[in-house]
């Protein structure tokens, strides 16, 4: 299994970024996928998840600003980040798991995932 994130960078507050996670070694269309982030001095936080049936979950802190999507034809996961804030600064990680959670809040927990990417840095300046 390989998950490779890209698209991170440095932007000013209010700006946008689009993160991508290219996958291989999994049956992408059937997997539960998610984005997590780790800010300096903080625990890993579930940002957004999407299951095989398309059900999405978002952390309250990003609802209305971030959008998770998946391209099954390209085995790629995306995260559109809009209206970025300095508190969004973190390393963002892609995660994958073969289990189906039926839309449960468990999809935003790191222990629900067995495969992880190396991360891409997002830095938002004020």
């Amino acid at each position: 299994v390989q998950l490779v994130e890209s698209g991170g960078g440095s932007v000013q507050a209010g700006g946008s970024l689009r993160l991508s996670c290219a996958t291989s070694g999994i049956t992408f269309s059937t997997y539960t996928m998610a984005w997590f982030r780790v800010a300096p001095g903080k625990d890993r936080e579930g940002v957004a998840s999407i299951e095989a049936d398309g059900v999405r979950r978002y952390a309250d802190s990003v609802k209305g600003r971030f959008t998770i999507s998946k391209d099954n034809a390209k085995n790629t996961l995306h995260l559109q980040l809009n209206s970025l804030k300095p508190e969004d600064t973190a390393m963002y990680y892609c995660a994958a798991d073969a289990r189906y959670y039926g839309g449960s809040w468990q999809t935003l927990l790191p222990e629900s995932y067995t495969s992880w990417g190396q991360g891409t840095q997002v830095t938002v300046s004020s």
Side-chain angles (χ1 to χ4, degrees), residues 14-88:
S16 298
L17 285 171
R18 188 187 194 215
L19 307 184
S20 296
C21 173
T23 73
S24 60
I26 63 172
T27 308
F28 181 76
S29 62
T30 68
Y31 266 54
T32 296
M33 303 294 299
W35 289 96
F36 288 79
R37 65 186 181 186
V38 181
K42 295 189 176 181
D43 292 333
R44 191 173 300 234
E45 176 191 20
V47 174
S49 66
I50 184 168
E51 296 202 74
D53 57 5
V55 173
R56 296 166 171 82
R57 273 195 174 265
Y58 295 93
D60 288 344
S61 58
V62 306
K63 277 181 183 176
R65 300 189 299 121
F66 292 7
T67 302
I68 189 170
S69 63
K70 55 189 303 194
D71 184 338
N72 288 335
K74 295 183 178 179
N75 296 334
T76 302
L77 180 72
H78 299 289
L79 185 68
Q80 180 68 39
L81 293 69
N82 295 331
S83 303
L84 281 161
K85 305 175 181 180
E87 52 263 44
D88 295 317

